[in-house]
Amino acid sequence: MIPRPAAAVPGKSTRPAPAGFDRRLIAPMVLGSVLNPINSSMIAVALVPIGIAFGAPPAETVWLVTALYLATAVGQPVIGRLVDMYGPRRLYLVGTGLVGVAGLLGALAPTLGVLIAARVLLGFGTSAAYPAAMRLTRSEAERTGQDSPAGVLTALAVSAQTVAVVGPTLGGVLIGAGGWHMVFTVNVPLSAACLVLGVKWLPRSGAPERGQRMDLPGMALFAVLLVSLMLFLMGPRPDRWYLPALTLATAAVFAARELRVPDPFVDLRVLAGNVPLVITYVRQLLAYTTSYAFLYGYTQWLEQGRGLGASAAGLVLLPLSAAALVTATVTGRREAVRGKLVVGSVLQIAGCAALLLVDAGSPVWALLAAGALLGVPQGLLGLAAQTALYRQADPERIGSAAGLLRTFMYLGALGASAATAAFFPHRADTGGLHGLALFMLAGSALLLAITLPDRSLARLTPTPRKA
């Protein structure tokens, strides 16, 4: 059963709600949800200029990527749980406000360390909007007595997918106009727009139900578990054996606690009984490992291996953006989760294989074609995973479930970042690109292998409307 939205706060003004889905919510939902993917992707073309500005090698500038992913992977489910408890409006406003502060800090950063700190703040700040949007979508379904329209979920997925692939192009344009500082400065007006729209349109929520408690120890254990795992993935060496050991020990303590407390941060009992949802998280991990490996690896290769400037590299990725946008828009109205996953996996395999044919002498049309081919699965896989989660997750924990989906997305991104650093230890050359392509190919093949036999996907259907 979908939980009823909290009542309006006494004494506060209310606005009349329409009979159907309140489409005034879409603008703040979409704009807030794209803050994370746009900051994840714009930095791709800024890594080289930032490295030159601070005299830092790729092994150091990669922390600009890792810092945001660490903060986001921890922040998304934690803030998602807070959204479930306290309502989406409060967390949305605090999070999007923090984005503006982080953007200003990054623009004025005097050192690479301060710049990395700004990325951490961006990670936490951008973690609120997506869980809030999914919670609002569920609440509207309860208020109207109707299943939320597919167009709303499509808008969230399409906007995130589109911005993620448009990000490098936008980043290249901003860098060309005002230097790498602009990829941070742009967050200030975006944050202001979110705050205005959020204050104006997001409904107020009442106090959380009595008896609900924040599982702070569970959240802290979850954070330690993820950070230790990610730090090891960033540099898997024998002398860092203590990190996986800490991960396993923390995971054991976390599981024991969450199975014992009455109101856990992550309800492992429910999650263990929902195997299709667990598999959806694994698919998200595999899909985005390939997606981000291409985004970061191919972009760096275009600049160093192919010799293009940041702006030109961003323009070469335009077909990627266009293919993802058109694909998600055309297919968004039909859920067809299994079909999207199968077709997306097959095309991702084909795109990774095509990268093995690219070298420093490849014509521009071949570079454009490679991006276009890999843009199609980006438009299919993200939308399919979001729709699957909406149908499979416990409605009472949709915020934290959505946060976990983003966590697995950024675990994939972190794995991609680690792979990029491993295949490009000193310079993004063609040999490294081909090694990265084989890594991506293996992940895409595994994605297809766990999708084909999954019969539960055919049973995902919209929630029936109430009489």
Side-chain angles (χ1 to χ4, degrees), residues 19-39:
F21 188 96
D22 190 350
R23 296 191 176 274
R24 294 172 293 188
L25 300 176
I26 294 178
M29 285 167 59
V30 168
L31 184 59
S33 295
V34 303
L35 291 176
N36 196 285
I38 198 171
N39 278 287

Side-chain angles (χ1 to χ4, degrees), residues 66-264:
T66 307
L68 185 137
Y69 292 155
L70 283 169
T72 302
V74 173
Q76 287 273 1
V78 170
I79 296 176
R81 182 62 182 140
L82 296 178
V83 167
D84 287 333
M85 294 178 64
Y86 295 98
R89 189 177 194 268
R90 297 183 181 96
L91 277 301
Y92 179 96
L93 295 177
V94 171
T96 54
L98 186 59
V99 169
V101 174
L104 190 60
L105 176 64
L108 301 176
T111 65
L112 183 62
V114 175
L115 204 60
I116 292 171
R119 293 284 289 178
V120 172
L121 289 180
L122 276 173
F124 284 117
T126 58
S127 291
Y130 181 70
M134 293 295 280
R135 183 71 182 188
L136 285 166
T137 304
R138 276 288 188 184
S139 296
E140 282 296 283
E142 171 65 16
R143 182 185 65 79
T144 61
Q146 302 174 357
D147 183 60
S148 296
V152 176
L153 294 177
T154 300
L156 289 174
V158 169
S159 59
Q161 287 287 328
T162 303
V163 166
V165 292
V166 168
T169 303
L170 175 61
V173 171
L174 290 172
I175 291 170
W180 62 263
H181 301 83
M182 292 298 293
V183 301
F184 289 88
T185 306
V186 72
N187 285 289
V188 176
L190 289 175
S191 169
C194 286
L195 290 173
V196 171
L197 291 171
V199 168
K200 185 173 179 61
W201 296 123
L202 297 187
R204 294 179 172 87
S205 301
E209 296 180 8
R210 290 185 178 181
Q212 276 194 324
R213 296 181 179 179
M214 289 177 57
D215 181 15
L216 293 178
M219 293 178 179
L221 287 168
F222 181 79
V224 173
L225 188 162
L226 276 185
V227 171
S228 58
L229 172 62
M230 292 180 172
L231 289 176
F232 178 73
L233 290 176
M234 284 305 302
R237 303 191 307 268
D239 62 338
R240 306 183 79 181
W241 60 268
Y242 58 90
L243 289 174
L246 177 61
T247 301
L248 292 174
T250 307
V253 176
F254 175 74
R257 174 182 172 78
E258 298 303 276
L259 291 170
R260 188 178 70 252
V261 298
D263 193 20

Side-chain angles (χ1 to χ4, degrees), residues 288-380:
Y288 278 94
T289 298
T290 296
S291 177
Y292 276 100
F294 176 77
L295 180 65
Y296 290 116
Y298 192 58
T299 304
Q300 290 187 63
W301 176 82
L302 286 173
E303 294 183 47
Q304 295 185 333
R306 189 61 170 74
L308 301 180
S311 298
L315 291 173
V316 168
L317 293 179
L318 275 177
L320 179 80
S321 311
L325 173 60
V326 171
T327 301
T329 302
V330 170
T331 64
R333 291 287 177 177
R334 294 185 60 190
E335 294 197 353
V337 174
R338 187 178 188 277
K340 290 175 182 176
L341 288 170
V342 171
V343 174
S345 301
V346 170
L347 291 178
Q348 214 173 54
I349 290 171
C352 295
L355 286 182
L356 296 173
L357 305 177
V358 171
D359 58 35
S362 296
V364 173
W365 67 262
L367 306 180
L368 296 170
L373 180 56
L374 279 163
V376 176
Q378 286 194 18
L380 293 172

